[in-house]
Amino acid sequence: MGNAAGTAWDRTKVMAASMDAMAVVDGDQYVLVNQAYADLHGFTRPDDLAGELWERRLADHERLRFERDILPACREDGQWRGTIAGRRRDGSTFVQDLSLSRLEDERFVWISREADHGERTASDRETNQPRLIKRVFDAIDDIVYVLDGDGDAVLWNATLREVTGYTDAEIEALDPKDLVPPEQRDYVPGTAEAIDQLGDRRVDLDLVTKDGKRIPHEFRGATFEDPETGRVYRCGIARNITDRTDRERELRNARQFNEELVENAPFGVFRLDEDLEITYENRRAEEIIGLPDDEDASAAIGVDIRDLPSIIETGRADLFTRLQDGETIEFEFPFESIYGKEAYFTGRGVPLYRDGEFDGAVLMAIDISEHRRHERNLERQRDELATLARINELLLEITRNSFESPTRNEIEQTVCDRLAASELYQFAWIGAPDANGDRIVPRTSAGIDDGYIEAATITTTETETGRGPGGRAFRTGELQVSQDVRSDPTFEPWREEALNRGVEAAAAVPLVRGDTTYGILAVYATRPFAFSRREQAGFETLGKAVGFAINAIENRKLLFADTVVELEFEVADSELVFVRLSEHLQCELTITGYVESTSETWSVYLAVEGAAPLAVRDVAVDDQDVTRAQVIADEDTNGLLELVVDGAALTELTEHGAVLTSGHVADGRGRFCIEVPQNTNVRQLAGRLQAVYPESTLVARREFDRPVQQAGEVRQSIDDRLTDRQQEALTRAYHAGYFNWPRQSTAGDIADSMDIAETTFHYHLRNALDALSATLIDIGQR
């Protein structure tokens, strides 16, 4: 082992000291090379050849000869001498004198000298030219390399080693394509054909280092042909462009950021060219103009913004011309796009310059349509609130004056005067059905109507002149509005006359009390959509207030009238519950009293003859018009009952100021007497009752005088002192036999009929009796 080690050390020292080019090969690789051998073949250091295939240092045409003739001769004889063509690192060939000796097995010693057979005519400077070129290459900061026609690297400088971290041997063993990423390898020439296709163009590729790092380089080069051998080579230079790539990446990122910023901006961006033609619209701009989903680009692209119809309509097209003069402009105006989308724009236009020349402009526009709508809504609400406040003041004044007015005419005139005096409405009038009930005729009016009221024909039926607001309001008992008389088809019969007088909107307010409509209040305005929901609610309240006041006046007329009219009706209509009960049980029923409850039903007290009260009750409780039935007194075939019914007829009478004074039904036919004020429209009242009960007939009409002053004073005094609940409790107690002895109804029975607690009934009754007693004592002391 020691001798072998010593022999190897001696051999190495000998080779290092030798002036001849010496190498030791083992099998197919170099295992030991001296400096002279490395220099001969164009390598900087001996180590660059260690491990390399020795056949790569032979000319291509010598490889077959070497393996077929020279090696077998050396194996047999132990040595071989001769001339052979070698191959340097740069791919050039040279003639060398070679002495080949076999050491053992496949290990050989090579000793080479460059042959000088008189063929070389170059000077020493020419002889050392490859080494000089090598040094020049190594001094270049860029990577310099040469590829042969097979795409193999035959020459490279030290920069390639420094950048990639590979040794020369590793570089020589590498396929040059391994120095770039797989996706870029098509740009690396591997054949003469590929070299020809690549030409002299430049390409940016990533150079992959030994540790896998990717460094961007710009590759450029040129192809050339060796005149001696005819072989084609590519000489290339690779320059590190990391800084440039970083700058370009920053620019790309900045550009991408700007593009994304513009594209996703919450405001519209429009790019104009130097002729002010639209060349770009961002996504928000497309949303603002309403670009359909099935269109990729706006039809406004390529159009001079000043030629857009909506811009022309604003009269501000010249504003954009100022951009060409270098002015920054600001704008705000409504806009309708070519797709019919309406918007309200506000924004700014900024001129752009390139090399000192006008290069178009950028418009940044914000759609403030929602904001403008909100502002308009606020303005409208403020106006509406102000209008409503005036209406409420007007309603309060009208209501107060209405109750202070002693007659219906005065109430109605007050209403019309106050409405016409307001700046909100042009004129107003109140009408009621004529004697036939077919047409609504004016009763009072106020304001400037220029004869419109007298000329207008409004009917209560479903005819053309009854389908307008007035006719509908009277029939339905609900407020009706025509917000725009120009377009409302139901206003056709009166449209021309109304527009000639400046009327744009109209409202008809029913004057109602319960189910009774006394007439309508018609109000006209010179502005369309003049009646907001709140105003309509105010007018509904006014209609009910006036209806209530009219009803109170009608009742007061009867209460204080010196002369009253008694009407007697005969009713054989089974729609009336009393007729049904009498006919079914073959008995007689007499109405002894009635009370209206807070639930808008009526408690009617009936005296029964000819049937058991319990039997009448049992039949009544199953009747559709009876809510509750209670026996108050039972004496076999006669007695007293309380029926809670809907009382449509009683409601109709009360709302017309009438009072039912008597009612008697026998064997399905009844006679009812009512008292009404002297000026009551008897025909209309009879018609309303017959509408409810068709088989009813007015059989008698009588007028008579009555001494009402004393009774009226008493009644008025009692009404002033009793609450509604106290009066109800007192009336129910009286008709239910609570004051009889023995009592026909208990306090609990009456409390149940009033849907209150028994203690509450006692409270109301005691207060009512106290007020009644005080009234009688006061009158007696006068």
Side-chain angles (χ1 to χ4, degrees), residues 11 41 60 81 130 141 233 283 287 313 321 386 409 419 464 546 563 592 616 646 649-650 694 698 717 766 776:
R11 188 180 302 152
H41 289 84
D60 293 341
R81 294 176 183 270
D141 292 333
Y233 297 88
R283 189 178 308 166
E287 293 174 359
E313 290 175 6
T321 303
N409 286 339
L419 288 171
E464 184 181 17
V546 174
T563 301
T592 61
V616 178
D646 62 2
L650 289 172
L698 177 62
S717 181
R766 277 198 309 273
L776 294 176

Side-chain angles (χ1 to χ4, degrees), residues 22 27 50 110 118 133 143 188 225 237 283 324 394 410 497 500 532 545 563 569 578 608 651 683 716 742 782:
M22 298 182 63
W110 297 40
I133 293 174
I143 295 174
V188 180
E225 181 178 347
I237 297 177
R283 189 178 308 166
Q324 294 176 322
L394 181 63
E410 290 179 352
E497 295 296 330
N500 288 339
S532 67
T563 301
F569 288 88
F578 310 123
V608 182
T651 300
R683 182 175 180 178
Q716 184 64 43
R782 291 178 184 177

